[in-house]
Amino acid sequence: MKNALNLFLVSCLIVFSTSCSSDSTEELSLENNEMVIPQSKVIEIEILELINNHRISQGLNTLDDLDIIKGQAFTHSDYMVETNNVSHANFPSRRMYLINNAGAVSVSENVAYGFTNAQSVVNAWLNSEDHKANIEGDFTDFEISAEQNDEGDWYYTNIFIKK
């Protein structure tokens, strides 16, 4: 039932979305008790640890994981699996949700597809200037969702916020 609700909400967002601009005021209207926050998978824990270890190596603060971010990351990874497309679709909605419900003052995300282990996806992000900037950015909290499609391919959504 929750997957059907998520699919319906994502479909509505797609229909009503006209811009990918970060200035959009669209908001995903889910209550925290309705948001799906799955238990962390080993690969997700490893990714968060690798990112925090990298931040430590750069003299940066570590980031705290936050369930409300996990829920938004999961919803997007699930959407990418269902559409079979890696994208930042509906990012303005995730951003506004986290601003309004998690006290975020800035939000950013990294997405990826196809990497088979934590080290490979983190390495790919670190070898990309924009993704690395997010990993090393001025943030306080983060979370990740890694979801597989029926063929076993991984889709990743890593969201960062600053409170």
Side-chain angles (χ1 to χ4, degrees), residues 122-138:
V122 172
N123 285 345
W125 283 332
L126 290 173
N127 287 317
S128 163
E129 188 175 322
D130 291 338
H131 295 97
K132 183 177 180 179
N134 287 339
I135 289 173
E136 295 178 354
D138 184 18

Side-chain angles (χ1 to χ4, degrees), residues 18-72:
T18 58
S19 171
C20 291
S21 168
S22 62
D23 294 330
S24 173
T25 58
E26 289 181 280
E27 179 180 343
L28 182 62
S29 58
L30 290 176
E31 298 296 322
N32 286 340
N33 60 355
E34 294 176 358
M35 184 185 318
V36 176
I37 303 172
Q39 188 166 9
S40 293
K41 298 173 186 72
V42 171
I43 194 169
E44 294 167 336
I45 295 166
E46 290 173 349
I47 291 168
L48 297 178
E49 289 174 353
L50 287 167
I51 289 172
N52 268 336
N53 288 341
H54 174 78
R55 288 180 63 88
I56 290 167
S57 78
Q58 300 301 303
L60 301 169
N61 63 298
T62 58
L63 304 176
D64 295 322
D65 55 303
L66 195 58
D67 279 349
I68 195 168
I69 302 171
K70 176 85 167 176
Q72 291 297 298

